[in-house]
Amino acid sequence: MEYDFRSAESKWQKAWEDQKVFEAVDFSEKPKWYGLVEFPYPSGAGMHVGHIKAYSSIEVLSRKRRMQGYNVLFPIGFDSFGLPAENYAIKTNTHPHVITEKNIEHFTSQLKSVGFSFDWSREFATSRPDYYHWTQWIFLQLFKHGLVFRSKTLVNYCPHCKVVLSNEDSQGGKCDICHSDVVQLAKDVWFLRITDYADKLLEGLKDVDYPDSIKQQEISWIGKSTGAFVNFSLKDAEEKLEIYTTRCDTLYGVTFMVVAPEHPVLDRYKDRISNWDAVEAYRKESARKTEFERTQINKDKTGVRIEGLTAINPITGKEIPLFISDYVMMGYGTGAIMAVPAHDQRDYDFARKFGVDIIPVIEGGDIEKEAYTGNGTMINSDFLNGFTNKRDSIARMLEELEKRGIGRRGVQFKMKDWAFNRQRYWGEPIPLIHCPKCGVVPVPEDQLPLELPPVENFEPGTDGKSPLAKIDSFVNCTCPKCGGAAKRETDTMPQWAGSSWYFLRFCDPHNETAFADRKKLDYWMPVDHYNGGMEHVTRHLLYSRFWHHFLYDIGEVGTPEPYAKRTYQGMILGSDGEKMSKSKGNVIDPVDIVKEYGADTLRTYVMFMGDYGSAAPWSDESLKGCKRFLDRVAGLTEITTADQENAKLESSVHKTIKKVSEDIEHMKFNTAIAAMMTLINEFYKAGSITKSDLINFIKLLSPFAPHLTEEIWQHIGMNPDGKTFLTVAKWPEYDEAKTKDAVKEIGVQVNGKVRGLVELPVDCSKEEALAAAKADENVAKFLKEGNLVKEIYIPGRIINFVIKK
RNA sequence: GCGGUUAUGGCGGAAUUGGCAGACGCGCUGGAUUUAGGUUCCAGUGUCGCAAGACGUGCAGGUUCAAGUCCUGUUAACCGCACCA
């Protein structure tokens, strides 16, 4: 068959679109299937090959589901708020809206050229008011339920981007956008209380089908630990200093305390601290350090002893010294610790440097050399002496602490509340109003969307305020509560806000009276299969699960978890094995590939290049191999000349249907394609095939190479009216009986080494099998070398003779 | 330091879960077609060996009739978190 992919691909894309083949129908007799991919940020650079790989898995599954008779929702939209558009706007003095819409248009045509079967009728962009109306609405619900709060605390601040960042956006002490070092600044910040949902986010993982690697990463990010809060008295003071510990049973070994430099207790006792100058100098120094310096260059412990304040070990009553040191973080626990130098290496290092006592309370190790962190019998610990099990001694101590009223059981999370405001223009305005009389007042829901006002200059202010702060007409407003003069919040939401609920909007994208109709949500949700990048596990995935759990709690959605199943794709590396980057010059533009080799070749190659979840380098040669395969598929029409089904070929076809069907389900796309390559090799070897063989073959290939197979389908007369598409034809079924061979060639081993091959009926008896094996000349030769002591026959697998020499 | 993942030809990777290691593709070698290059087609291709055969899944042991797969120890690489009390 003559096949020109350039004309055929655009022809079929148009035909599918005209006939609305991929539009999902709300409510249907068919079973529903909701497949989701992470909607793209419409960057000016356009589509990346990574997008192709990320989307192709759900694309293939969606196409297969349609052929299997499902009502499929496979939507796409744009996550279009964000810094790149804004920075570009600053550079070129163009409105980010204009740039964004232009990029969306460009991205749309690129995505369409690959032939993805998205339901474009549901497309939306998070930066359009009809969408962010509802992002703001959900924010107001969070506010009304006490999950939004403002607090002046130390936050991650990027001096380059001039924005406050969430913990998730500053992992490793680097700004996620520009990779500058993040500094700690005390700022007034809006937080979302994601920590209130820490337990639910942890528990919810038990009910979803995510790979362990994803679950583990979420679990460690949430970082739940159980332990105890213990109150330490300060000598001659009312105040108690509370600490958090996971090993309260080592309390007898506590010989000093350390508080974080930022700990507020110090200010309250300023007058009593005789070396206040030294304390303050140390505080200033650690404040100046970046997160990187504080955590990475930390081998040498530094600190200052606080003169004039003494703590008391609540269990022994002994006086112990108090220090400040930046190895204690204000952001975890209470910002103060009890130090057990005998059994914690950090405390040990500190104690050695500052000459504090080291009292062992667990037997074992060599305290002269290092802290002992292993298990052992409790010593020097009064009522705990003799305990050998950590769990028992902790339980016993907790009991004692509670009895004496000096401590209690407690839980801590590493995860922090979500810093939710950005001092930038291109994001959802936070719908809150500051009223001098009423305090913080939410914008009434009927006034949503609170639209972004036009701005002349997108540059963030040097005063750490958003560009919106410069627009008087936006800032000045009346308080919805008292009607007095008030000021609007001028910060916007972070980039992650819009994507925290977008999968819900796809269920009802044009709704003007609600974020989505509840009946439609109940029909489509949860997402059956969500594929995306590993880099979103501790951000988008966590954030969106949080919002969904919240919406569930307030009765807006029907399930706590939004995604029934989550998978991820491995990265496509440059052909040099390095991560693709402009500076390395190893970037592959998928649009170039579509133009030169066709969308089908690109799609097939991306799915064939290796294990879906693993990184794999790009190879032009392998890509050409896939093109060759598809050309051979096009050539199949030439050999579709047989009238009679060849039994052997028929069996191969059925085996392949089974293999491809199962492999797609398990996301083993590479072996699915390999099986089709094997089959086509058999086809050509046989010389001729039947029309039925061809139809089954193109059906299997259709999800991967939809254009070529659609063209063949028409070519062989299966689409007479131009509307009977292969794309929605019935997925082939296999006959289990025909996938089973009557005879099978199996290996014959002597002492575990293969010495021959015999062809045997699958159901043949042990006697027959062994006889046939022994008849093999080479096997017989090896059997002569010793006495036969054992005969093993596993039908269909192996024969093994054990001989003794 | 903690958690996770991985290690198989020249390369990307297979192996129905303990049963013929290297499917499929790339590359390479030889041949055919072609004026040549490219394309296409045929044959070959783990290593050593003329062969018989021996060896072979990071390394060292072990279990088993049989180990890429299970167990013990070990090394390396990658990813995530990290002074988390």
Side-chain angles (χ1 to χ4, degrees):
Chain A
M1 187 186 75
E2 281 290 310
Y3 179 67
D4 171 18
F5 67 80
R6 286 182 184 83
S7 57
E9 290 185 351
S10 54
K11 177 177 90 183
W12 291 114
Q13 284 161 16
K14 186 170 182 304
W16 295 327
E17 192 167 351
D18 289 347
Q19 297 298 321
K20 306 185 192 307
V21 174
F22 305 127
E23 284 191 18
V25 183
D26 295 324
F27 314 113
S28 157
E29 290 302 302
K30 296 175 177 178
K32 73 96 183 178
W33 191 81
Y34 184 178
L36 185 68
V37 294
E38 286 169 349
F39 64 157
Y41 174 76
S43 79
M47 218 165 46
H48 184 269
V49 275
H51 289 112
I52 310 295
K53 186 164 176 187
Y55 298 167
S56 289
S57 54
I58 303 295
E59 158 76 356
V60 167
L61 278 158
S62 292
R63 283 183 175 268
K64 178 171 180 249
R65 289 283 179 275
R66 281 189 206 97
M67 294 173 80
Q68 287 175 312
Y70 284 80
N71 180 27
V72 170
L73 173 56
F74 182 39
I76 190 75
F78 295 94
D79 188 14
S80 49
F81 271 136
L83 265 185
E86 183 164 344
N87 289 337
Y88 189 77
I90 292 167
K91 218 158 65 184
T92 61
N93 201 30
T94 325
H95 196 287
H97 173 75
V98 174
I99 298 160
T100 299
E101 290 298 325
K102 206 180 116 201
N103 287 349
I104 287 176
E105 204 179 308
H106 183 224
F107 230 97
T108 300
S109 76
Q110 289 192 336
L111 284 170
K112 285 185 175 177
S113 75
V114 185
F116 287 129
S117 61
F118 294 126
D119 177 355
W120 284 98
S121 73
R122 292 176 187 247
E123 181 253 8
F124 56 74
T126 56
S127 61
R128 295 177 192 151
D130 63 341
Y131 181 87
Y132 70 71
H133 178 155
W134 301 105
T135 309
Q136 291 172 331
W137 182 85
I138 296 171
F139 175 85
L140 288 183
Q141 309 314 306
L142 287 160
F143 182 84
K144 284 173 190 168
H145 287 84
L147 291 168
V148 179
F149 69 100
R150 194 169 170 83
S151 155
K152 181 159 184 144
T153 38
L154 280 182
V155 291
N156 308 296
Y157 182 78
C158 172
H160 181 260
C161 298
K162 297 180 184 129
V163 284
V164 170
L165 295 167
S166 70
N167 229 30
E168 287 78 10
D169 277 339
S170 54
Q171 298 182 26
K174 301 270 182 198
C175 168
D176 190 58
I177 301 151
C178 69
H179 307 288
S180 316
D181 281 343
V182 165
V183 295
Q184 303 291 301
L185 267 184
K187 263 185 140 1
D188 260 323
V189 174
W190 288 109
F191 285 100
L192 296 193
R193 276 187 214 282
I194 191 172
T195 52
D196 277 13
Y197 277 78
D199 264 320
K200 283 182 177 174
L201 292 171
L202 214 46
E203 286 302 306
L205 290 174
K206 290 180 181 144
D207 305 322
V208 292
D209 178 10
Y210 293 6
D212 281 344
S213 52
I214 292 182
K215 286 191 182 180
Q216 275 311 322
Q217 213 172 304
E218 293 228 335
I219 290 167
S220 73
W221 184 259
I222 294 168
K224 183 175 182 170
S225 95
T226 54
F229 289 101
V230 183
N231 286 313
F232 281 66
S233 305
L234 294 176
K235 193 184 168 193
D236 305 323
E238 282 299 298
E239 184 153 16
K240 305 264 194 238
L241 196 48
E242 188 179 53
I243 61 94
Y244 176 75
T245 177
T246 54
R247 290 302 301 268
C248 62
D249 57 332
T250 60
L251 203 43
Y252 281 95
V254 174
T255 54
F256 62 101
M257 289 185 81
V258 186
V259 299
E262 305 86 1
H263 201 289
V265 75
L266 299 178
D267 296 293
R268 292 199 283 274
Y269 292 90
K270 192 176 166 182
D271 298 340
R272 283 177 53 178
I273 299 172
S274 55
N275 61 338
W276 180 253
D277 288 350
V279 170
E280 200 164 36
Y282 186 79
R283 286 178 121 185
K284 277 191 181 141
E285 196 194 318
S286 44
R288 219 186 46 241
K289 287 184 190 170
T290 62
E291 187 80 13
F292 180 80
E293 288 170 319
R294 250 180 100 160
T295 56
Q296 302 298 315
I297 311 168
N298 61 24
K299 302 301 163 217
D300 201 25
K301 297 278 177 289
T302 59
V304 175
R305 177 162 179 172
I306 297 165
E307 312 279 354
L309 269 189
T310 307
I312 294 164
N313 183 326
I315 204 89
T316 62
K318 277 189 196 151
E319 290 184 16
I320 53 174
L322 184 65
F323 294 85
I324 58 168
S325 172
D326 62 9
Y327 85 89
V328 175
M329 302 286 144
M330 200 57 222
Y332 185 78
T334 63
I337 62 152
M338 62 176 219
V340 187
H343 305 294
D344 180 294
Q345 193 57 43
R346 294 156 301 170
D347 297 346
Y348 184 90
D349 294 344
F350 194 87
R352 273 283 143 107
K353 183 161 175 183
F354 288 85
V356 192
D357 292 345
I358 298 173
I359 302 173
V361 290
I362 301 168
E363 221 166 30
D366 182 0
I367 299 302
E368 291 308 308
K369 283 195 196 128
E370 58 183 3
Y372 177 65
T373 52
N375 298 319
T377 307
M378 301 296 298
I379 50 168
N380 300 328
S381 296
D382 192 19
F383 59 89
L384 286 182
N385 285 341
F387 275 76
T388 51
N389 181 299
K390 180 163 104 175
R391 221 177 51 207
D392 295 342
S393 55
I394 290 173
R396 175 70 187 88
M397 179 57 94
L398 265 170
E399 193 185 304
E400 192 67 22
L401 290 174
E402 275 165 12
K403 202 173 85 191
R404 298 194 196 178
I406 49 179
R408 65 193 159 86
R409 197 174 298 271
V411 172
Q412 277 295 299
F413 296 96
K414 284 187 208 173
M415 186 172 66
K416 295 177 187 170
D417 281 319
W418 179 5
F420 199 69
N421 50 327
R422 301 289 181 271
Q423 297 70 39
R424 286 299 197 134
Y425 175 76
W426 195 230
E428 301 86 349
I430 292 177
L432 292 176
I433 289 166
H434 301 270
C435 172
K437 275 190 217 148
C438 315
V440 175
V441 181
V443 171
E445 287 176 20
D446 59 14
Q447 287 176 26
L448 296 181
L450 173 59
E451 293 202 30
L452 272 172
V455 179
E456 298 279 315
N457 179 3
F458 304 101
E459 196 94 41
T462 47
D463 50 0
K465 283 188 177 167
S466 141
L468 292 181
K470 287 179 277 191
I471 319 287
D472 289 343
S473 60
F474 177 81
V475 175
N476 297 315
C477 63
T478 52
C479 170
K481 220 172 180 178
C482 70
K487 288 193 187 302
R488 283 190 196 282
E489 171 62 48
T490 56
D491 283 357
T492 54
M493 298 187 200
Q495 188 198 341
W496 307 102
S499 60
S500 291
W501 70 283
Y502 77 111
F503 46 92
L504 299 173
R505 189 66 177 173
F506 281 136
C507 299
D508 191 12
H510 308 299
N511 196 322
E512 289 176 9
T513 58
F515 72 93
D517 178 75
R518 181 61 193 271
K519 283 202 192 76
K520 292 181 185 174
L521 287 173
D522 286 345
Y523 176 71
W524 287 114
M525 289 295 290
V527 172
D528 292 280
H529 189 155
Y530 188 19
N531 185 71
M534 209 54 199
E535 70 276 16
H536 288 133
V537 169
T538 50
R539 285 183 289 187
H540 162 62
L541 205 63
L542 209 54
Y543 292 152
S544 58
R545 290 181 58 226
F546 161 45
W547 278 36
H548 199 265
H549 271 268
F550 164 71
L551 290 171
Y552 173 73
D553 285 351
I554 64 168
E556 293 288 341
V557 296
T559 58
E561 285 292 334
Y563 319 118
K565 177 175 181 160
R566 166 83 181 190
T567 52
Y568 58 92
Q569 72 281 350
M571 216 189 299
I572 299 183
L573 305 170
S575 41
D576 53 0
E578 300 286 320
K579 198 173 164 178
M580 281 190 193
S581 75
K582 269 189 210 155
S583 60
K584 290 202 191 85
N586 58 356
V587 176
I588 300 290
D589 185 344
V591 177
D592 292 343
I593 306 298
V594 169
K595 282 184 188 147
E596 201 175 337
Y597 298 94
D600 285 339
T601 300
L602 174 63
R603 296 165 57 117
T604 304
Y605 171 57
V606 160
M607 299 310 269
F608 180 64
M609 62 195 298
D611 173 63
Y612 188 69
S614 309
W618 181 269
S619 158
D620 279 326
E621 301 306 323
S622 279
L623 174 79
K624 285 178 196 161
C626 288
K627 174 83 166 77
R628 212 167 303 165
F629 165 61
L630 295 180
D631 286 343
R632 277 159 69 80
V633 174
L636 280 178
T637 53
E638 314 286 336
I639 61 161
T640 308
T641 52
D643 305 321
Q644 282 286 311
E645 196 61 71
N646 165 335
K648 191 150 180 295
L649 266 194
E650 192 188 16
S651 165
S652 297
V653 169
H654 281 260
K655 281 183 200 161
T656 308
I657 294 171
K658 183 178 183 183
K659 171 96 177 131
V660 172
S661 301
E662 290 173 357
D663 281 358
I664 289 176
E665 291 308 311
H666 298 121
M667 313 250 313
K668 294 172 77 171
F669 307 108
N670 54 338
T671 50
I673 293 169
M676 289 187 273
M677 288 172 167
T678 307
L679 183 59
I680 202 172
N681 290 344
E682 274 188 59
F683 280 175
Y684 276 104
K685 208 154 241 170
S688 75
I689 59 170
T690 63
K691 190 169 170 183
S692 150
D693 292 335
L694 178 65
I695 287 173
N696 279 323
F697 186 89
I698 61 173
K699 279 181 172 178
L700 293 179
L701 184 60
S702 168
F704 299 90
H707 310 90
L708 164 65
T709 49
E710 190 75 75
E711 183 76 12
I712 296 172
W713 178 256
Q714 187 189 45
H715 182 81
I716 60 173
M718 299 300 288
N719 183 5
D721 59 359
K723 296 180 196 171
T724 312
F725 299 111
L726 169 65
T727 294
V728 284
K730 197 170 169 297
W731 187 254
E733 278 170 14
Y734 59 89
D735 181 345
E736 187 70 42
K738 285 180 181 161
T739 66
K740 301 265 190 277
D741 292 314
V743 289
K744 222 172 171 182
E745 195 175 59
I746 67 171
V748 182
Q749 300 177 335
V750 177
N751 282 355
K753 293 212 160 89
V754 181
R755 300 301 182 185
L757 291 171
V758 285
E759 211 169 67
L760 291 170
V762 174
D763 55 357
C764 88
S765 70
K766 183 171 180 178
E767 287 71 29
E768 289 173 290
L770 295 179
K774 284 174 189 165
D776 183 281
E777 217 175 279
N778 199 43
V779 172
K781 190 182 101 192
F782 278 92
L783 284 178
K784 266 187 246 160
E785 290 179 8
N787 297 321
L788 192 55
V789 292
K790 199 169 182 183
E791 298 171 324
I792 292 141
Y793 170 54
I794 312 290
R797 301 277 167 104
I798 204 86
I799 293 169
N800 192 10
F801 295 111
V802 184
I803 61 168
K804 229 176 179 170
K805 287 181 190 174

